[in-house]
Amino acid sequence: MRIVMFGYQTWGHRTLSALLDSGHEVVLVVTHPRSEHVYERIWNDSVADLAAAHGVPVLLRNRPDDEELMVRLKEADPDLIVANNWRTWIPPEIFTLPRHGTLNVHDSLLPAYAGFSPLIWALINGEKEVGVTAHMMDEDLDAGDIVLQRAVPVGPEDTATDLFHRTVDLIAPIVTESLALIASGRTDWTPQDRSRASFFHKRAIEDSEIDWTWPAEDIARLVRAQSDPYPNAFTHYNGARLRVLKASVSTGRYGGTPGRVFIREGDGVVIVAGAEARKGRSHGLVIERVRTEDGADLPATEVFRTMGGYLTRRP
């Protein structure tokens, strides 16, 4: 098959690599220009560089909405478009152009976690598994019929970084198997159950700010979801931003006001957490390791040398 690829960052890079190894002909690659956005500097293997190294023509676009792109796509005469981590909507005149349509690869177990940053949102929400879905693109974002889907479990100590590595390793086999199914003439794909669908927005720095009225279990997952190299979960202490690198749920239950620096427990310091902490039946968050504004990584016990005071959402 003649294949056009739309993709970006490491997800797109892994997809293109699988296409180049598949025995099919990659005739054109469309990718985004490099961005300085904080989340787009993470996992940023270059699709453009990989395509150029294999002699595949490359077009750089922020959006697929210009006349030159349509001309180039028609000249490429693709049997299939394959997309992964393309950041904007692809219109019907493009995704219906190939003979076999457009295969989109998305790093969630659709129909859940359509949209953006699915691994981070899934970890924050305590999902027991995450994965990758290959589906045929239609008018609605991440809503088309499923060709293949693979899952991996989420362990109790897993970070978003751990889950990234496990799911990105699923891309090549899913792409390779999907191509074989499509080339065989199969079209009996599985419709998504839209009653189970969820859709999430792109993450921003504000989404990493700790809300101490959340239960400690949720905050601990937020910390793991914002593991290096992602922007870490953060709070403010004595007017300065403090990034939380490692935290766990306290063994004891502590009452008081959310955000209160309360007591030593184990290797860390307990922060009162939860909207109903005043009742004294909530676990706290044990902060074990932090990063200060000057970039120093420290045990929490070296920062919270005395108990008392509050961690806040604003300086």
Side-chain angles (χ1 to χ4, degrees):
M1 293 187 294
R2 292 172 59 83
I3 297 175
V4 169
M5 188 260 186
F6 280 70
Y8 187 49
Q9 293 179 284
T10 299
W11 297 268
H13 189 278
R14 290 290 187 98
T15 302
L16 178 56
S17 181
L19 294 173
L20 292 168
D21 291 340
S22 70
H24 298 282
E25 184 182 5
V26 182
V27 293
L28 180 66
V29 164
V30 186
T31 188
H32 298 301
R34 283 192 181 275
S35 169
E36 290 304 309
H37 186 281
V38 62
Y39 278 94
E40 294 189 7
R41 296 199 304 268
I42 304 170
W43 319 126
N44 63 350
D45 295 296
S46 173
V47 170
D49 290 351
L50 179 60
H54 287 80
V56 179
V58 177
L59 292 178
L60 297 178
R61 293 292 188 277
N62 284 312
R63 303 183 65 86
D65 56 5
D66 62 276
E67 184 176 345
E68 181 196 1
L69 174 60
M70 282 303 303
V71 169
R72 294 288 296 277
L73 288 171
K74 290 176 181 178
E75 290 175 347
D77 191 28
D79 296 299
L80 181 71
I81 290 174
V82 178
N84 192 349
N85 199 41
W86 181 262
R87 295 302 209 187
T88 62
W89 185 60
I90 296 176
E93 57 266 28
I94 291 179
F95 71 71
T96 62
L97 178 65
R99 296 170 183 83
H100 297 296
T102 294
L103 180 77
N104 186 56
V105 183
H106 181 72
D107 55 336
S108 83
L109 297 174
L110 293 174
Y113 296 94
F116 301 90
S117 305
L119 290 179
I120 294 176
W121 288 115
L123 183 51
I124 290 171
N125 290 329
E127 302 294 348
K128 300 303 182 185
E129 60 181 11
V130 294
V132 175
T133 302
H135 68 96
M136 301 309 298
M137 189 174 288
D138 64 11
E139 292 85 355
D140 297 318
L141 188 62
D142 297 331
D145 292 353
I146 294 172
V147 177
L148 278 176
Q149 191 171 76
R150 297 287 183 270
V152 293
V154 179
E157 302 300 324
D158 280 340
T159 66
T161 307
D162 297 326
L163 299 180
F164 164 79
H165 288 297
R166 279 186 222 143
T167 55
V168 80
D169 285 344
L170 296 174
I171 291 174
I174 281 182
V175 168
T176 301
E177 190 174 345
S178 295
L179 292 181
L181 291 171
I182 292 168
S184 75
R186 285 273 301 274
T187 58
D188 55 332
W189 316 127
T190 303
Q192 293 190 38
D193 179 358
R194 302 309 298 163
S195 69
R196 296 175 49 240
S198 55
F199 187 88
F200 287 81
H201 63 73
K202 291 181 181 179
R203 289 190 66 79
I205 293 300
E206 291 81 359
D207 300 312
S208 301
E209 190 169 12
I210 295 172
D211 182 344
W212 292 103
T213 65
W214 283 17
E217 294 85 351
D218 291 358
I219 301 173
R221 287 195 301 268
L222 174 65
V223 170
R224 289 191 284 119
Q226 297 294 160
S227 54
D228 288 338
Y230 295 101
N232 305 118
F234 69 94
T235 187
H236 293 89
Y237 182 57
N238 290 336
R241 180 176 292 196
L242 192 67
R243 292 167 173 81
V244 180
L245 304 183
K246 185 178 181 183
S248 58
V249 178
S250 69
T251 301
R253 296 176 185 269
Y254 301 95
T257 302
R260 175 77 173 190
V261 180
F262 191 12
I263 193 170
R264 292 279 297 268
E265 184 180 288
D267 294 329
V269 176
V270 174
I271 311 300
V272 177
E276 297 198 343
R278 69 187 183 280
K279 296 181 179 180
R281 295 193 291 270
S282 300
H283 292 282
L285 186 79
V286 182
I287 297 182
E288 299 165 39
R289 196 158 190 86
V290 299
R291 181 173 294 149
T292 59
E293 281 197 312
D294 61 4
D297 290 3
L298 299 170
T301 52
E302 291 189 18
V303 175
F304 307 118
R305 293 183 179 275
T306 59
M307 299 301 101
Y310 291 86
L311 301 184
T312 60
R313 297 196 67 184
R314 295 290 182 268

